[in-house]
């Protein structure tokens, strides 16, 4: 058969990185990205983009570790190249602090980030309300830069991008051979996936260029993540909340919690509020499916449900999804050659 | 009683503040005066990146190691104060890189989280096979000096913009104690062949994606003659020049190229950084800091001079320990003159 026509639906972090992987593993494919929204208006643009994994209860740990390792290795190389500033990738060191010592002192990713070790007594003095902490160095992907960099590489690889709201995957079956579903929270409306639910996150983006370290409370609610131009202060984890409107009371709460971890933030300027809905799921859905309708077949590769951990595993899941696209292509080629017989 | 401070860099201003804080209450008649021909932002302290880090070896100057420690601890105590941002004070972590294993430095237990680099971290720095990671402090001269100046002005310290040509000029007329914080030009007030310029040049660039300091060391070429990158709150400083005996404060095109090339090799991500400025300055280098008292006959007057100069490339690192030591010397002078009832207790 002629080279496969692949449509990737969704142009957030997952859609763009998956599309890029597909151009790498299948250079002869014709690739189109279709999305209702592009950077800077995606959920990914709200996130700080820190490589600190979220643990999915229903994905095997060794898989999550592999995804994280692949992502870390990929971004590590970019951070140490001349492309680093354009791609928005940089190393950042800091501390994860706990009010009481956690059951698991060594998370599964501790040997992938750099220099992971428990904090010393002297270091903990900076956090009088916290008893235990971990110091390490990890990577941060700033958005929009990272998404724009992915878009640029996609264009260079011959991919096309169109703004289009896809209400039904079957809309695409005439023009495309394979659909890659990277719609994040949009998969709920598109597929009716009951396991997918929003976890609302509100953040502040502020000017505080003297803040050079990340600080994260191990409970996951309060964090300070310094990016290239702004510092992201967070946050909230509101399950099943669909509201994209910033809540002023929440902003005040976030600011106070962050100032108690880092008092110098009192001097932060130009506070901007953002809201995003983490597309959460007990496990990330990276899966092949063949949809059928009235004798027609539509191969679909799903890659959605990354919740709070999208940045940490994006390259790993993108590669896996690209692999599944490869399998779809083989299956199509197999059936088309069978059709010739 | 009047005390004249010569020099308004980090040493002069901090010594003045330390003395003011300790003695104002005990001696209401104390009047401090600061004399300088250069004030912030035109002092040597303003050009320095502001990283707290002593040299690799203290050459047996244990006194200096103690002053470094006092300074770090003093600054650490101020880290969470509302003044920290105005002072230009913040934590900064980073890397010291070597081409061979070296002994741990005297300051390993002063900084936070000191450790050796892991093999994966060393992959970031081809050509370097050994190194340290630690969390230290930044104290930016361009913010700290104005902060010190404001505090001093609030406390009634007077400033005089003039080039002091001799100790005699500022002594007499009730000024019995002169604090000599003249840095590089101390030799003009009193010859000191041990004081030599350690010329440095830096590029100021915009590279806000760099969040760590990186200091390389070439044990053969000596301190600061190997590339370094130090991110500040407004720009990043690239350096790696130390020319002993060179008095030129003109920027050299050759040094510019050498700094740029070597720093970009060290950190490829710098290639897209925008250069926004350049500066050369003279580190007031001396085998050890001159911090001592000298009684001088100036005309028909007897004056006490407290010397506090020769801090090389570690002035910011050591400044508060020296300021406290200078204040202690003043305390003993005051005690001798029975101007203080009991030995001056330094107020921490």
């Amino acid at each position: 058969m002629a080279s496969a026509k692949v449509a990737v639906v969704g142009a957030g972090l997952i859609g763009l990185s998956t599309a890029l992987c597909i151009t790498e593993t299948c250079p002869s494919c014709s690739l189109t990205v279709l999305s209702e929204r592009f950077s800077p208006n995606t959920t990914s643009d709200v996130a700080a983009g820190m490589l600190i994994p979220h643990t999915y209860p229903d994905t095997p740990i060794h898989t999550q570790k592999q995804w994280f390792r692949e992502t870390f290795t990929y971004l590590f190389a970019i951070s140490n190249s001349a492309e680093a500033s354009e791609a928005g990738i940089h190393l950042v060191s800091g501390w994860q602090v706990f009010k009481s010592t956690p059951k698991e002192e060594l998370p599964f990713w501790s040997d992938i980030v750099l220099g992971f070790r428990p904090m010393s007594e002297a270091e903990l003095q900076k956090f009088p309300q916290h008893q235990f902490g971990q110091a390490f160095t990890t990577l941060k992907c700033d958005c929009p830069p990272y998404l724009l960099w992915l878009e640029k590489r996609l264009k260079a690889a011959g991919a096309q991008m169109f703004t289009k709201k896809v209400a039904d995957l079957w809309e695409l079956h005439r023009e495309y051979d394979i659909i890659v579903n990277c719609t994040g929270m949009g998969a709920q409306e598109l597929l009716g996936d009951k396991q997918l639910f929003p976890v609302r996150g509100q953040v502040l983006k502020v000017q505080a260029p003297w803040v050079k370290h990340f600080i994260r409370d191990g409970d996951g609610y309060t964090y300070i993540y310094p990016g290239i131009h702004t510092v992201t202060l967070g946050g909230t984890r509101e399950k099943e909340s669909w509201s994209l409107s910033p809540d002023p009371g929440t902003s005040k709460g976030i600011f106070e919690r962050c100032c108690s971890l880092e008092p110098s933030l009192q001097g932060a300027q130009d506070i901007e509020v953002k809201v995003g809905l983490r597309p959460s799921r007990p496990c990330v859905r990276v899966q092949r499916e063949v949809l059928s309708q009235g004798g027609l077949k539509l191969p679909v590769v799903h890659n959605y449900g990354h919740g709070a951990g999208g940045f940490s595993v994006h390259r790993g899941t993108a590669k896996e999804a690209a692999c599944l696209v490869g399998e779809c292509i083989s299956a199509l080629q197999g059936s088309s050659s069978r059709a010739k017989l | 009683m009047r005390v004249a401070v010569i020099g308004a860099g980090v040493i002069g201003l901090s010594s003045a503040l330390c003395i003011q804080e300790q003695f104002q209450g005990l001696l209401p008649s104390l009047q401090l005066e600061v004399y300088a021909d250069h004030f912030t932002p035109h002092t040597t302290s303003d050009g320095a990146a502001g990283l707290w880090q002593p040299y690799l070896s203290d050459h047996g100057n244990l006194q200096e190691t103690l002053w470094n420690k006092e300074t770090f601890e003093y600054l650490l105590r101020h880290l969470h104060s509302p003044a920290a941002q105005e002072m230009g004070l913040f934590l900064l972590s980073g890397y010291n890189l070597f081409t061979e294993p070296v002994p741990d430095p005297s300051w390993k237990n002063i900084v936070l989280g000191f450790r050796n680099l892991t093999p994966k971290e060393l992959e970031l720095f081809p050509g370097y096979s050994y190194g340290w990671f630690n969390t230290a402090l930044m104290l930016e001269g361009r913010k700290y000096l104005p902060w010190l100046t404001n505090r001093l002005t609030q406390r009634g310290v007077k400033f005089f913009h003039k080039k002091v040509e001799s100790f005699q000029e500022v002594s007499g007329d009730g000024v019995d104690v002169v604090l000599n914080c003249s840095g590089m030009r101390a030799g003009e007030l009193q010859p000191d062949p041990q004081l030599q310029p350690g010329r440095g040049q830096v590029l100021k660039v915009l590279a806000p994606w760099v969040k760590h300091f990186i200091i390389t060391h070439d044990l053969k070429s000596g301190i600061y003659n190997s590339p370094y990158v130090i991110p500040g709150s407004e720009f990043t400083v690239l350096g790696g020049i130390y020319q002993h005996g060179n008095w030129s404060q003109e920027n050299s095109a050759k040094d510019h190229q050498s700094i740029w090339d070597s720093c970009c090799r060290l950190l490829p991500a710098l290639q897209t950084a925008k250069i926004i400025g350049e500066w050369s300055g003279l580190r007031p280098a001396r085998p050890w800091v001159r911090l001592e008292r000298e009684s001088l006959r100036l005309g028909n007057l007897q004056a006490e001079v407290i010397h506090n100069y020769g801090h090389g490339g570690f002035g910011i690192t050591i400044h508060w320990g020296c300021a406290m030591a200078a204040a202690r010397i003043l305390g003993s002078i005051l005690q001798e003159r029975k101007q203080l009832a009991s030995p001056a207790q330094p107020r921490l």
Side-chain angles (χ1 to χ4, degrees):
Chain A
M1 65 182 277
S3 69
K5 296 200 284 291
V6 179
V8 173
V9 186
L13 174 67
I14 300 305
L16 296 181
S17 58
T18 304
L20 192 61
C21 274
I22 295 168
T23 66
E24 290 164 12
T25 58
C26 181
S28 62
C29 281
S30 126
L31 191 98
T32 308
V33 177
L34 302 168
S35 184
E36 187 183 5
R37 275 187 254 276
F38 284 80
S39 180
N41 300 312
T42 71
T43 305
S44 313
D45 291 289
V46 179
M50 284 297 286
L51 257 69
I52 299 178
H54 164 82
T55 303
Y56 302 100
D58 291 357
T59 301
I61 292 289
H62 74 263
T63 303
Q64 299 187 48
K65 190 165 178 175
Q66 181 56 20
W67 286 342
F68 182 55
R69 188 186 284 114
E70 279 175 345
T71 308
F72 196 92
T73 304
Y74 175 70
L75 295 173
F76 188 68
I78 301 172
S79 77
N80 204 27
S81 77
E83 301 211 53
S85 68
E86 194 197 337
I89 312 287
H90 57 99
L91 283 173
V92 58
S93 297
W95 309 281
Q96 175 163 242
V97 291
F98 300 82
K99 293 201 168 89
S100 50
T101 308
K103 278 195 289 287
E104 193 192 56
E105 284 191 28
L106 270 188
F108 74 80
W109 42 268
S110 61
D111 59 341
I112 299 174
V113 297
L114 303 176
F116 185 97
R117 60 177 171 78
M119 284 166 73
S120 63
E121 280 305 314
E123 288 175 300
L124 277 165
Q125 299 229 0
K126 185 171 149 53
F127 306 103
Q129 291 162 348
H130 295 78
Q131 310 266 16
F132 178 80
Q134 300 152 338
F136 55 94
T137 301
T138 188
L139 289 158
K140 186 177 186 298
C141 302
D142 278 30
C143 285
Y146 185 52
L147 297 187
L148 296 176
W149 181 82
L150 288 171
E151 285 180 27
K152 187 174 167 193
R153 295 197 63 170
L154 278 168
K155 285 195 188 114
Q160 295 201 292
M161 288 180 265
F162 298 110
T163 303
K164 178 185 164 65
K165 180 172 163 69
V166 174
D168 184 339
L169 293 181
W170 281 102
E171 283 171 32
L172 308 174
H173 101 273
R174 250 190 289 272
E175 275 186 76
Y176 302 99
D177 303 313
I178 300 165
I179 314 298
V180 186
N181 171 26
C182 304
T183 51
M185 206 55 239
Q188 231 231 30
E189 200 190 318
L190 202 53
L191 309 173
D193 182 343
K194 299 224 166 22
Q195 288 192 74
L196 184 66
F197 59 95
V199 175
R200 181 183 183 280
Q202 184 164 320
V203 295
L204 308 178
K205 305 227 175 190
V206 309
Q207 294 289 325
W210 60 89
V211 174
K212 307 286 187 191
H213 297 88
F214 72 81
I215 305 172
R216 177 177 203 269
D217 191 312
D219 69 12
Y221 285 89
T222 308
Y223 50 82
I224 297 162
Y225 294 144
I228 294 175
H229 297 294
T230 61
V231 181
T232 301
L233 308 184
T236 67
R237 288 175 184 258
E238 299 156 275
K239 278 177 111 166
E240 303 286 4
S241 169
W242 285 87
S243 168
L244 284 169
S245 309
D247 178 82
T250 301
S251 291
K252 188 162 177 284
I254 292 170
F255 192 72
E256 280 168 5
R257 282 185 276 127
C258 288
C259 285
S260 88
L261 279 182
E262 178 54 70
S264 72
L265 283 171
Q266 292 285 351
Q269 300 286 309
D270 298 336
I271 299 173
E272 231 195 302
V273 195
K274 291 200 186 281
V275 179
L277 307 180
R278 300 177 184 85
S280 308
R281 213 172 175 276
C283 62
V284 181
R285 189 177 181 199
V286 189
Q287 195 178 52
R288 254 179 88 187
E289 190 181 8
V290 180
L291 301 180
S292 11
Q293 200 181 77
L296 292 170
K297 299 235 183 279
L298 185 57
V300 177
V301 172
H302 297 289
N303 189 7
Y304 68 89
H306 299 70
F311 280 86
S312 299
V313 299
H314 76 275
R315 177 78 180 176
T317 60
K319 283 178 80 168
E320 196 171 312
C323 232
L324 294 176
V325 170
E327 286 179 19
C328 290
I329 294 172
S330 303
L332 284 173
Q333 288 172 335
S335 62
S336 85
S337 56
R338 275 199 293 281
K340 286 195 197 114
L341 288 172
Chain B
M1 98 146 296
R2 285 159 66 212
V3 172
V5 178
I6 305 175
V10 67
I11 301 300
L13 297 185
S14 61
S15 302
L17 186 65
C18 191
I19 286 168
Q20 190 67 8
E21 285 178 349
Q22 287 192 26
F23 296 105
Q24 192 56 64
L26 300 168
L27 203 64
S29 68
L30 179 69
Q31 173 63 59
L32 272 168
E33 299 167 352
V34 175
Y35 293 84
D37 58 357
H38 290 134
F39 286 88
T40 181
H42 305 294
T43 72
T44 307
S45 311
D46 290 288
L51 178 66
W52 186 100
Q53 185 168 297
Y55 289 178
L56 296 185
S57 163
D58 60 15
H59 299 297
N61 285 323
L62 297 175
Q63 184 70 269
E64 290 182 6
T65 301
L66 204 56
W67 290 334
N68 290 332
K69 182 175 194 301
E70 283 173 351
T71 306
F72 193 88
E73 288 171 358
Y74 167 76
L75 294 173
L76 205 58
R77 284 196 294 275
H78 280 76
L79 198 59
H80 283 187
S81 81
Q85 201 214 322
E86 212 193 316
M87 284 165 82
L89 177 66
F90 55 92
L91 285 174
L92 187 67
S93 295
Y95 307 88
N96 276 279
L97 303 173
F98 305 88
T99 54
E100 60 192 82
V102 294
D104 289 345
S106 62
W107 40 271
K108 68 179 272 203
N109 292 321
I110 302 175
V111 295
L112 302 174
F114 182 94
R115 62 172 174 82
N116 285 347
L117 292 180
T118 64
K120 221 161 109 184
E121 288 175 306
L122 284 165
E123 277 175 39
L124 279 165
F125 309 111
Y128 295 96
S129 56
Y130 189 83
W132 309 322
F133 184 93
N134 64 265
T135 301
L137 289 162
M138 279 284 278
L139 184 63
E140 298 182 306
R142 289 156 57 99
K143 294 219 166 69
Y144 189 46
L145 264 50
W147 181 84
L148 286 168
T149 307
N150 286 341
R151 298 294 302 268
L152 290 167
T153 308
Q154 275 166 20
R155 288 160 167 271
V157 172
K158 298 205 167 17
F159 290 84
F160 298 92
H161 194 138
K162 78 186 281 206
K163 181 167 161 63
V164 174
E165 310 276 11
S166 69
F167 293 126
Q168 197 152 348
E169 225 182 282
V170 296
S171 63
D173 250 3
V175 172
D176 307 304
V177 180
V178 177
L179 207 46
N180 176 19
C181 306
S182 49
M184 194 65 252
R185 287 169 293 143
E188 291 174 25
L189 292 171
Q190 188 187 85
D192 182 351
Q194 293 191 88
L195 180 68
Q196 292 290 319
R199 181 182 176 280
Q201 185 167 324
V202 294
L203 301 182
K204 297 179 193 177
V205 308
L206 290 178
W209 53 91
V210 177
K211 305 289 184 193
H212 298 92
F213 65 79
I214 303 165
I215 308 192
T216 66
H217 300 268
D218 179 342
L219 301 178
K220 285 189 295 290
S221 53
I223 192 84
Y224 300 132
N225 248 338
S226 191
Y228 62 79
V229 178
I230 302 175
S233 63
E234 291 172 354
F235 51 79
T236 298
V237 173
L238 308 184
I241 302 288
Y242 190 108
Q243 294 154 349
H244 198 82
N246 186 349
W247 283 91
S248 168
Q249 288 191 71
E250 300 289 311
N251 291 318
S252 138
K254 180 162 174 271
D255 290 339
H256 174 121
Q257 204 57 48
S258 156
I259 294 166
W260 178 255
D261 290 343
S262 61
C263 285
C264 285
R265 230 175 299 124
L266 175 65
L267 204 56
L270 282 175
Q271 290 172 46
T272 48
K274 182 167 169 221
I275 302 176
I276 57 163
E278 197 162 9
W279 179 82
S280 305
L282 308 178
R283 301 175 184 87
R286 209 174 180 275
W288 59 88
V289 174
R290 187 177 184 200
L291 182 35
E292 65 190 2
R293 174 183 169 181
E294 190 180 8
S295 303
L296 286 179
R297 186 118 208 122
L298 302 171
N300 51 8
L301 291 168
Q302 184 83 2
E304 297 301 311
V305 177
I306 303 174
H307 296 288
N308 187 3
Y309 69 85
H311 305 80
F314 50 90
I316 284 161
T317 298
I318 204 172
H319 79 278
W320 193 255
C322 290
M324 301 266 279
R328 281 193 292 275
I329 295 176
L330 179 63
S332 36
I333 294 171
L334 294 174
Q335 223 212 317
E336 281 166 19
R337 298 188 186 172
K338 312 253 190 290
Q339 283 178 300
L340 282 186
S342 51
Q345 294 302 322
R347 256 191 285 140
L348 286 170

